[in-house]
């Protein structure tokens, strides 16, 4: 596993690095030591605890040959440096940030004369580069940290007043979770259900569903008006374009739900007794009726809905397992 840490000034990148080195036996890799690599928040790292490389390509080559080992670096800062690593299945990009005031106070402990205005200027230059300054990263490249942070698979928000608080948070986040590198089946299918939801044109909420059997996708669905009719977001459904709240006036709704679309697309013959439906939202009562009738074995959902209790009762009576799962998010 290789973890690259990127972050805003005084966000605590080196504190996270120190945590990985001391608590989880990671080896630090670097492209050389400069003034900007001084530890933050009182972290102390000896020179013998890391290896240096002349270029990011050389580091990538060495890390590839030893991909089963644990390595960490704060040296990959630009998109040009990081982009080749993103193709590797053992690479994890972690973004570190924190409240501006907390980061300023952290930095001022190292530089007592630093003003808030000067720190804000440094912050802006690190994220976007400053006008006429093409060397803000120290390596001849204008900073594109904002783009790099957007790409990070995990985001750590470090507003903690001390190292112990940060370390407890990192314990809970569990950066070593293998699913961060390769998602398990639940996370894989729920991610696809969330993606399907983006196709929805429903004015009330976006819902996506994936119907699975034997770890193979049978069908997908998202909520919206029937095929060939006016889309919901174009006025096709009077209920969704009116004041009705969740669970109200469902009989006036023209929209097919995501679960319904997935079931209709598959048909009972293809569903079979061991099918699982993944939905980013708990099925409503009407969809639960259809799920039971079609013989689905299990429902896995992410977000709650207004009638979860009624749906859960019906599904349980029909012998369908209902399970909620959390999706990884920012920390």
């Amino acid at each position: 596993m290789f973890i690259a840490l990127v972050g805003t000034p005084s966000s605590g990148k080196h504190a996270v690095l120190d945590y990985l080195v001391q608590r989880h036996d990671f080896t630090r890799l670097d492209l050389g030591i400069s003034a900007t690599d001084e530890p933050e928040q009182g972290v102390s790292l000896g020179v013998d605890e890391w290896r240096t490389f002349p270029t990011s390509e050389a580091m990538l080559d060495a890390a590839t040959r030893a991909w089963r080992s644990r390595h960490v670096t704060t040296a990959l800062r630009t998109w040009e440096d990081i982009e080749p690593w993103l193709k590797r299945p053992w690479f994890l990009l972690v973004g570190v940030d924190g409240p501006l005031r907390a980061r300023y106070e952290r930095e001022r402990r190292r530089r007592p004369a630093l003003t808030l205005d000067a720190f804000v200027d440094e912050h802006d230059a690190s994220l976007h580069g400053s006008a006429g300054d093409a060397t803000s990263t120290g390596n001849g490249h204008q900073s594109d940290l904002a783009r790099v942070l957007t790409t990070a698979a995990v985001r750590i928000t470090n507003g903690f007043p001390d190292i112990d608080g940060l370390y407890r948070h990192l314990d809970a986040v569990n950066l070593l979770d293998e699913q961060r590198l390769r998602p398990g089946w639940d996370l894989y299918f729920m991610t696809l259900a969330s993606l399907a939801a983006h196709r929805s044109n429903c004015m009330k909420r976006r819902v996506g569903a994936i119907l699975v059997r034997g770890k193979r996708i049978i069908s997908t669905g998202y909520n919206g008006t029937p095929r060939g009719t006016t889309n919901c977001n174009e006025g096709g459904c009077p209920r969704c374009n009116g004041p009705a709240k969740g669970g109200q006036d469902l009989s006036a709704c023209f929209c097919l739900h995501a679960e319904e679309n997935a079931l209709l697309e598959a048909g009972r013959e293809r569903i079979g007794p061991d099918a699982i439906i993944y939905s980013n939202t708990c099925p409503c009562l009407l969809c639960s009726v259809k799920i039971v009738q079609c013989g689905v074995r299990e429902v896995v959902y992410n977000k709650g809905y207004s009638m979860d209790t009624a749906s859960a009762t019906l599904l349980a009576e029909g012998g369908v397992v209902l399970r909620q799962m959390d999706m990884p998010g920012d920390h």
Side-chain angles (χ1 to χ4, degrees):
M1 186 178 199
F2 189 106
I3 294 179
L5 301 167
V6 294
T8 50
S10 296
S11 57
K13 303 180 294 293
H14 295 87
V16 179
L17 182 147
D18 189 55
Y19 166 87
L20 292 170
V21 169
Q22 294 186 8
R23 298 284 183 89
H24 297 288
D25 298 322
F26 276 69
T27 298
R28 176 177 180 177
L29 305 185
D30 213 331
L31 298 178
I33 305 169
S34 67
T36 59
D37 286 325
E38 294 176 8
E40 301 164 359
Q41 288 186 286
V43 178
S44 176
L45 288 173
V47 175
D48 292 339
E49 294 178 281
W50 69 70
R51 297 176 55 198
T52 60
F53 297 86
T55 65
S56 59
E57 291 82 2
M59 183 190 293
L60 177 58
D61 180 64
T64 300
R65 286 185 276 108
W67 67 271
R68 290 184 177 86
S69 301
R70 293 177 176 178
H71 297 116
V72 61
T73 189
T74 58
L76 303 176
R77 300 186 179 96
T78 68
W79 178 256
E80 182 181 358
D81 284 340
I82 289 172
E83 194 274 336
W85 294 78
L86 296 173
K87 303 165 185 160
R88 307 302 169 111
W90 36 263
F91 176 78
L92 181 68
L93 182 62
V94 176
V96 187
D97 199 359
L100 184 63
R101 176 70 66 176
R103 293 191 287 110
Y104 167 63
E105 295 298 337
R106 236 175 257 151
E107 185 65 23
R108 200 169 63 160
R109 288 197 289 269
R110 293 170 48 192
R111 296 187 284 164
L114 180 68
T115 66
L116 180 58
D117 283 346
F119 182 76
V120 170
D121 288 342
E122 292 177 6
H123 168 85
D124 288 344
S126 70
L127 278 177
H128 311 291
S130 55
D133 177 13
T135 61
S136 55
T137 64
N139 60 5
H141 297 287
Q142 187 170 354
S143 174
D144 52 3
L145 178 59
R147 180 184 184 187
V148 171
L149 283 172
T150 302
T151 310
V154 182
R155 298 289 293 272
I156 303 294
T157 300
N158 178 19
F160 302 96
D162 53 40
I163 290 291
D164 289 340
L166 175 61
Y167 279 17
R168 285 193 296 270
H169 181 64
L170 292 173
D171 285 340
V173 169
N174 188 14
L175 292 174
L176 276 68
D177 184 353
E178 289 296 326
Q179 288 206 85
R180 299 193 183 281
L181 299 176
R182 187 186 187 210
W185 289 112
D186 276 354
L187 181 55
Y188 173 64
F189 291 127
M190 189 62 75
T191 300
L192 293 177
S194 298
L195 179 61
H198 285 279
R199 282 288 302 164
S200 169
N201 59 62
C202 182
M203 293 295 290
K204 290 299 185 186
R205 73 173 65 218
R206 286 178 162 182
V207 182
I210 303 289
L211 189 61
V212 176
R213 188 178 69 191
K215 297 185 174 59
R216 297 291 184 270
I217 296 173
I218 302 173
S219 63
T220 66
Y222 54 86
N223 56 329
T225 50
R227 182 179 301 166
T229 64
T230 304
N231 286 333
C232 184
N233 62 352
E234 296 172 340
C237 177
R239 185 260 177 188
C240 290
N241 284 272
K245 297 180 180 180
Q248 296 179 351
D249 298 333
L250 295 180
S251 61
C253 185
F254 290 179
C255 289
L256 289 161
H257 290 191
E259 298 90 342
E260 290 178 304
N261 273 323
L263 293 170
L264 287 169
E265 182 69 23
R268 182 178 174 87
E269 293 76 15
R270 294 177 61 207
I271 293 173
D274 59 343
I276 303 174
I277 193 165
Y278 289 83
S279 178
N280 70 327
T281 304
C282 184
C284 71
L285 187 58
L286 295 176
C287 284
S288 297
V289 170
K290 297 175 179 66
I291 288 169
V292 172
Q293 182 67 11
C294 289
V296 172
R297 173 173 59 87
E298 184 175 7
V299 174
V300 184
Y301 72 99
N302 176 216
K303 302 173 185 175
Y305 187 49
S306 60
M307 54 183 74
D308 292 11
T309 302
S311 296
T313 300
L314 178 67
L315 291 169
E317 185 177 351
V320 180
V321 176
L322 178 65
R323 177 163 55 91
Q324 185 174 16
M325 66 166 288
D326 294 325
M327 294 288 282
D330 288 351
H331 301 280

